[in-house]
Structures are given as C-alpha cells and as structure tokens.
Amino acid sequence: MVASSLILAGVILQTLFVDNLERSVRGDLDAALSRLVALIDPAQTVTTILAPLPDPRYETPLGGRYWQIEALDNTGMARSRSLFDQELPASDVADGEAFHWVNGDGLHLILVSRTVEIGTRLFRVTVGEDHDRIHEAGVQYGWDILRLFGLLGIAIVAAAWAQLRLVLMPLNRLRSAVDDVRRGEVDRLEGDFPSEIEPLVDEVNGLLSEREALAQRGRRRASDLAHGLKTPLAALHGIAMRLRDRGEEAEAISLDELALEMSSRVDYQMRLASLRTRSGEHRESSSLNTAILRTVTVLRKTERGERLHWLAELGDDMHVDIHRQDLMELVGVTLENAAKWANSSVVVQVLRQADMAVLKITDDGPGIPAKKIEKLGRRGARLDEAVPGTGLGLAIATEILELNGGAIAYHQGRRGGLTVEMRLPLARR
C-alpha cells in the first residue's frame, strides 16, 4: 500500500513538473513570437526581419530555438539559421496554442504559431524550442523523486514497523502469559497490561478459575466415587470368603473376579482422570531420560525387578512434548508390563527420528503370537489369564500417547519377547 501510494504520487508529481515546464516554455515562446512580429519588415518584397533576435540559439544550426515567417501572399519565407534546412509545418491549431512536432530525424519541437496582418500583408509566424530539454529535465526529476520517495518509503515502513511492534508489545506479553498458563507454570494471567485489554485478561482469568474449579470438582467426585466403592468391594471379598468357608468355591471365585474387575476399572478411570487434556497449541517439555531412569530405579527395588537385568541405552537426553506427570505414567505402565513378562532382562532404547523421539522397551519373556499382537492396548484385554493383572496398563499407555500426538506399536523381540515401540513428538524450543 505504501509503495503503490508513493509510486502514484511520484507519477503525479513528475507529470505536474513536466506540465509546468511546458507552460513556462509556452510563455517564453509567446514573448519571442511577439518580439519577432515586431521585427517583420512588410515593405520588403522578400520576407525578412529588421534585426536578429537577441537569443544566440536562433543563429546556431539546431541550436534549440527556432523561428519561421511565411508570407501568405506567396512572396517568400524567412527562417532562423538554427533551422538549417528544416521547414516548420503548418498547423490547424488555433493561434497562440502550443503543439508538438517530430520530424523524421527525431527532432522534437514544441511550437507556437500565429497569423498576423501587417499593413496589407498576412504572415504566418512560428517559433519553437527543442522538447528534449524538457524531457531530460522530467527524467532527471523522476530519478530524484524515485530516490527521495525510496528513502521516504523506507522511513515510513520502518516507522510503521516500530509503531506496530510498540502497539503489539502488550499483546505479545499476553500471548507469553497464555503460554505460561498452557505449560502449567502459572494458574492465571499475570503481568501489567494496558487498560484496553484488561477486561480481556479479567475474562480469561475468570474462565481459567472456573475451569480449574470444574476440574477439581470432577476429581473430587471421582475420588469420592472410588472411596465409596471400596467398602462395597471389601464387602464382596468378605462374602466370597464366607462362601469359601461353606465350600461354595465357584460362587466365591465369581465374586472375587467381579470385585477385581470393578476395582481395576475404577483404577483405570482414576488414572485417566489425572491425565492432562492437550490442545494443538499446548506445549510441554519433559526429559525422557529422567523419566526412564527414575522409573527403572523404582522398579529395581521391587520383588520382581530385583531378579531382572536392566539395560538402558539412552544416549543424548531428549525433551518430549508431554507433561512430566503423564510421561512418568507412560514410562511406568510400559516398564511394569515388561517387568511382569520378562524372564531375566529388560532393554530400554531411546532413538531420534526426525522430529520424533522413539522409545523401545524389549523383554525376553514368552512373547506373543503374531495373530494376537493386534489385541494389545485394548482396554481390559488380557492375553494370559494365568498372569495377575488387569490388562489396563498398555491401554493407559495408548490413551496417553493419543492425547499427546504420539503412537504405539508392538513387535516380536529379537530374543523371543515383546518389543513395545512408542513415538513421541520432541518439544519445541
């Protein structure tokens, strides 16, 4: 917009400048024509003037100024020496009006003609001047305008950029504050903001407070539900024990399985409730190596983990775009699953592929037939009922990865066990 406006202004200014020059030249030509008419000697048979015009350009061939007197009674024609062998054309324009003439040699003149009557004789008097001088002046003026407006355009753009930066500084601070809220560093928008956006900040803070209150209320209700179910579940276990005492083993087993299923589902929902809902612009940064090392350290102290050999091939630390608590949950459930099935060792590998971090966890357990691998990760799916568990660990891992833009896959391990491969987006710096 600025460039087009300056270009239009430059064209207009150059046009006005050239028009003004031509107007000035026409004024000079009118004065020269009046002086030339006064010098015509009508008494001479041959058309002539009484004295030369004072401008020396009339006497120099192609000097830049020209005159011509034509007797309309066919008694002859007089021309300035500057015309050399050229003859100015007759024109049908009104007396005193300027017109342009270009000959075959590229001579471009601006001319003024007038028919005058002196005594009993009529003369057509014409004076002219080279238009090249006007054209060159216009071109030079155009270049000057271009340089001036170029600097002016740069100054305008720089001033507009500076003003825009100044105006947007409060909005940038607001965006930074929103990012802090999304990363979980603060609970509200903090900082000094102009009065124009203070109402927006207050509304956002009110919305954040309302959202947090709703989330806390939901967590409390989920917790109350979980605690409320503990007593009925304990009662079911008691009933199952009394049934066993009376020899009703089948009914006792059914009640125990029902209670275990209810308990596992409550635990599953409670763990999902603790996960953070993510948006496309919500950015996090958590150390993958730290989560792995902390989880392995805890699992090595368990009864099962003490008997296993743990090998962590981590390499350079990578930060992934997932909240630290969710990352610990993800690494925890997958390593717990590997430890449960491993015979003697668990191998953890961390790789980088483009903008993704790849976490591979491999155990040397019995493995899973290829036709059953696709069932892994489904909620409540257990491929071996003989092994204790709920089948919800990998389902939780799948939920976490889906919330954070990751993916999970399962492969047969090289040593016969299972390899769980998880891909997580790297944190944006």
Side-chain angles (χ1 to χ4, degrees), residues 2 9 20 25 28 60 70 143 151 167 194 197 218 245 249 287 302 308 328 334 380 391 395 404 413 418:
V2 172
N20 186 66
V25 168
D28 291 343
T60 303
E70 179 183 3
W143 282 111
L151 294 175
V167 170
I197 62 175
D245 292 339
E249 186 68 22
S287 170
T302 64
L308 298 176
M328 292 294 296
T334 51
N404 293 277
L418 177 70

Side-chain angles (χ1 to χ4, degrees), residues 225-226 229-230 233-234 236-237 255-273 329 333 340 378-382 385 387-396:
L225 176 62
L229 289 174
K230 285 183 178 180
L233 290 175
L236 286 176
H237 283 296
L255 283 179
D256 278 336
E257 289 179 348
L258 179 61
L260 178 62
E261 176 68 16
M262 293 175 63
S263 178
S264 65
R265 290 185 180 276
V266 169
D267 180 64
Y268 176 71
Q269 294 299 330
M270 287 294 293
R271 294 171 82 170
L272 290 185
E329 181 75 13
V333 295
K340 180 174 67 175
R378 295 180 184 177
R379 185 172 59 182
R382 297 179 59 195
E385 300 292 337
V387 178
T390 62
L392 296 177
L394 294 181
I396 293 174

Side-chain angles (χ1 to χ4, degrees), residues 177-212:
V178 171
D179 285 341
D180 291 340
V181 173
R182 285 175 174 166
R183 288 192 296 267
E185 297 177 0
V186 295
D187 297 327
R188 296 171 53 85
L189 299 181
E190 300 175 351
D192 296 329
F193 299 100
S195 58
E196 290 80 5
I197 62 175
E198 275 290 351
L200 174 62
V201 173
D202 294 339
E203 289 293 332
V204 172
N205 281 333
L207 180 62
L208 290 173
S209 299
E210 182 179 350
R211 187 186 69 172
E212 182 61 25

